[in-house]
Amino acid sequence: MPDTANPAPMNAPSRRKFRREGEERRRQDLIEATLDSVAEHGLQGATLRTIALRAGVTAGLIRHYFPGKEELLQEAYTTLVGRMTEQAKAALVMEDASPRQRLAAFITANLNAPIIDARVFSLWATFIGRANADPALAHAHREGYLGFRNEVEAVVADVLAAERRKADASQLRHHAIAINAIIDGLWIEGCLAGEMFSPGELAAIGIRAVEAELGLAPPKHDPEP
Amino acid sequence: MPDTANPAPMNAPSRRKFRREGEERRRQDLIEATLDSVAEHGLQGATLRTIALRAGVTAGLIRHYFPGKEELLQEAYTTLVGRMTEQAKAALVMEDASPRQRLAAFITANLNAPIIDARVFSLWATFIGRANADPALAHAHREGYLGFRNEVEAVVADVLAAERRKADASQLRHHAIAINAIIDGLWIEGCLAGEMFSPGELAAIGIRAVEAELGLAPPKHDPEP
DNA sequence: AGTCTATTTATACACTTGCACAACAAGGCC
DNA sequence: GGCCTTGTTGTGCAAGTGTATAAATAGACT
């Protein structure tokens, strides 16, 4: 392979060809390339040149869309968090289903692809590892966590109401914290060592653990006639 | 402030004074300085010069003890994992206590200081975020995880035996996975947002969730006369 | 087709990084 | 005390970093 990919016949100092993409598209591509780079090489390996290469542009262009690397990373993280919470909550918008079914579906959705995903986990861990030093990161996490937990708490309240059981705010909060922990813990293991579990196993474990936490009677099997 | 901290009266090219520490001591100091640097500035900020500064030596010395930065980071991670698992398991070596008490003590120990610790969490997240790309890291995590889970499984078996309940291997495994997830999930939240929980609250939530998972009857309060 | 503008490339620059190596001195040994 | 080993420092270097800026050109508009 020649040392230049330029097919120009003469060694005229020809420039690289390029296309002008829409602004929003370019920004989106750059953010995606950033997330890819961070997931693959970590924060240290995500250099402007690496990111630009992945996005199919040259490094200088990044400065045209972002004031600096810091801001690019910040926007990339915001995008990631938004995507994660959006996906996680999407499983809750089932109409015409019993609260208990909605809860089970929520757990199942959170413990299978695409939420169980090694790349997303890498990104989450890489960024959250900086939360101590970066208050903005810590704040973003807390927002996402509390939003998630509130969703859980609402479903739990529905489930208990449907079972005609009363629970005060403190009990509700504890249930939500525990259920959140169960989902988070199983999510981590699924992402880190997915092949150690058979398909659907994590979701089954999660549902059982959550229902035990709420003191729900185990569901009946189809009774023998 | 003068641009040199050297109190030498003349500008003779005097060298910095130094002491020869024992080999093991120096290595330990360098590893500790590495962990501090990673926790504070992330992998990208943990440069040889930063680490050396923290350890009170100059950068060149690191090469005398480690073949390269890579190996230093690897040894630092090994040290970290060893310390974490050691602490976590230490709570299990209670003689003369009922299995249920040992389980509760285990959970309590894992959900309070020093295991709930923002610095350790930062380190864990930073390193584990590279597990996808680095098989050595992934392997180290899996070893630690499985070791931890086996400990949990053993205690669970004891607890169920004491309650005269039988559980097959599959049920035992599922219990261990779920309990591990509960502890992990609560550990993360405690590390990331410890001030959101009152002292002992996480442990109380964890114990309740685990006992529910195992189907243990809630402990009696002091009965009214 | 010609013009114009803002997207994109390319180059330059100051700075940092990990690593190599020569000079040096701390502390044990005689 | 004098010497010798080796732990330790200081300096140098090539590669890579983020940022700044000039030069080029794609594509819309007339």
Side-chain angles (χ1 to χ4, degrees):
Chain A
M1 197 164 118
D3 61 347
T4 170
N6 190 338
M10 268 316 169
N11 53 0
S14 75
R15 287 191 144 223
R16 174 178 172 174
K17 296 294 187 235
F18 63 90
R19 281 204 327 141
R20 296 186 162 197
E21 299 285 352
E23 160 160 355
E24 212 41 52
R25 169 69 186 275
R26 262 283 132 83
R27 297 183 110 254
Q28 217 44 45
D29 283 353
L30 285 173
I31 286 178
E32 206 57 45
T34 303
L35 290 176
D36 281 341
S37 295
V38 173
E40 192 162 338
H41 307 105
L43 277 175
Q44 46 180 351
T47 72
L48 290 182
R49 285 163 179 85
T50 303
I51 293 169
L53 185 67
R54 233 193 175 85
V57 297
T58 53
L61 185 60
I62 294 182
R63 281 272 309 198
H64 192 80
Y65 288 97
F66 300 91
K69 193 190 180 185
E70 189 78 18
E71 288 80 2
L72 172 58
L73 284 173
Q74 206 124 325
E75 284 212 36
Y77 180 66
T78 303
T79 301
L80 173 74
V81 169
R83 221 176 275 173
M84 285 176 71
T85 61
E86 182 190 11
Q87 283 183 334
K89 290 189 198 169
L92 274 178
V93 291
M94 304 168 38
E95 309 292 337
D96 65 317
S98 74
R100 187 164 172 172
Q101 285 173 325
R102 286 177 62 226
L103 177 58
F106 178 69
I107 297 166
T108 302
N110 275 287
L111 295 179
N112 280 290
I115 299 191
I116 293 256
D117 179 80
R119 174 177 171 274
V120 172
F121 175 79
S122 261
L123 289 168
W124 174 83
T126 300
F127 280 113
I128 211 65
R130 307 280 320 117
N132 287 328
D134 188 338
L137 272 178
H139 184 260
H141 164 77
R142 182 154 322 184
E143 292 295 303
Y145 168 68
L146 285 179
F148 193 89
R149 209 178 81 185
N150 283 338
E151 297 284 339
V152 171
E153 200 168 310
V155 191
V156 168
D158 287 353
V159 170
L160 294 184
E163 301 265 329
R164 303 193 206 290
R165 290 174 43 196
K166 56 180 165 36
D168 59 37
S170 165
Q171 289 171 318
L172 226 48
R173 172 166 174 274
H174 280 186
H175 283 318
I177 293 172
I179 292 172
N180 193 74
I182 291 168
I183 295 177
D184 281 358
L186 293 176
W187 176 74
I188 290 175
E189 286 318 318
C191 291
L192 274 173
E195 72 289 350
M196 279 179 55
F197 309 97
S198 57
E201 188 177 20
L202 283 176
I205 294 174
I207 291 174
R208 272 225 295 250
V210 167
E211 298 192 332
E213 160 73 20
L214 295 180
L216 302 182
K220 297 188 191 66
H221 288 171
D222 299 324
E224 327 269 346
Chain B
M1 193 164 122
D3 61 349
T4 168
N6 191 337
M10 270 313 170
N11 53 359
S14 74
R15 287 192 144 221
R16 176 179 172 177
K17 297 291 187 242
F18 62 92
R19 281 204 326 142
R20 296 188 164 198
E21 298 285 352
E23 161 161 355
E24 212 42 50
R25 169 67 185 275
R26 263 283 134 81
R27 296 186 111 252
Q28 215 44 43
D29 283 353
L30 285 172
I31 286 178
E32 207 56 46
T34 303
L35 290 176
D36 281 341
S37 295
V38 172
E40 191 161 338
H41 307 105
L43 278 175
Q44 47 180 349
T47 72
L48 291 182
R49 285 167 178 81
T50 303
I51 294 169
L53 185 68
R54 232 192 177 84
V57 297
T58 52
L61 184 61
I62 294 182
R63 277 274 310 201
H64 192 80
Y65 289 97
F66 300 91
K69 193 191 180 186
E70 187 78 19
E71 288 80 2
L72 172 59
L73 285 172
Q74 205 123 325
E75 284 211 35
Y77 180 65
T78 302
T79 300
L80 173 74
V81 169
R83 221 175 275 174
M84 285 175 70
T85 62
E86 182 189 11
Q87 282 182 334
K89 290 189 198 170
L92 274 177
V93 292
M94 304 167 42
E95 308 294 337
D96 64 320
S98 74
R100 187 165 172 170
Q101 285 174 325
R102 285 177 62 225
L103 178 57
F106 179 68
I107 297 167
T108 300
N110 276 286
L111 295 179
N112 280 290
I115 299 192
I116 293 253
D117 179 78
R119 174 177 173 275
V120 172
F121 175 80
S122 260
L123 289 168
W124 175 83
T126 301
F127 281 113
I128 209 68
R130 308 279 324 116
N132 288 328
D134 188 338
L137 274 177
H139 183 260
H141 163 76
R142 183 153 319 183
E143 292 296 302
Y145 167 68
L146 286 179
F148 194 88
R149 210 179 80 186
N150 283 338
E151 297 282 341
V152 171
E153 201 169 308
V155 190
V156 168
D158 287 353
V159 170
L160 293 185
E163 301 266 328
R164 303 195 206 290
R165 289 174 43 199
K166 56 180 164 38
D168 59 36
S170 165
Q171 289 172 320
L172 224 49
R173 172 166 174 272
H174 281 187
H175 283 319
I177 293 172
I179 292 172
N180 193 74
I182 292 168
I183 295 176
D184 281 358
L186 292 176
W187 176 73
I188 290 177
E189 286 318 319
C191 290
L192 275 173
E195 71 290 351
M196 281 179 54
F197 309 97
S198 58
E201 188 178 21
L202 282 176
I205 294 175
I207 291 174
R208 272 225 295 249
V210 167
E211 298 193 332
E213 160 73 20
L214 294 180
L216 302 181
K220 298 187 190 65
H221 287 169
D222 299 323
E224 328 266 347

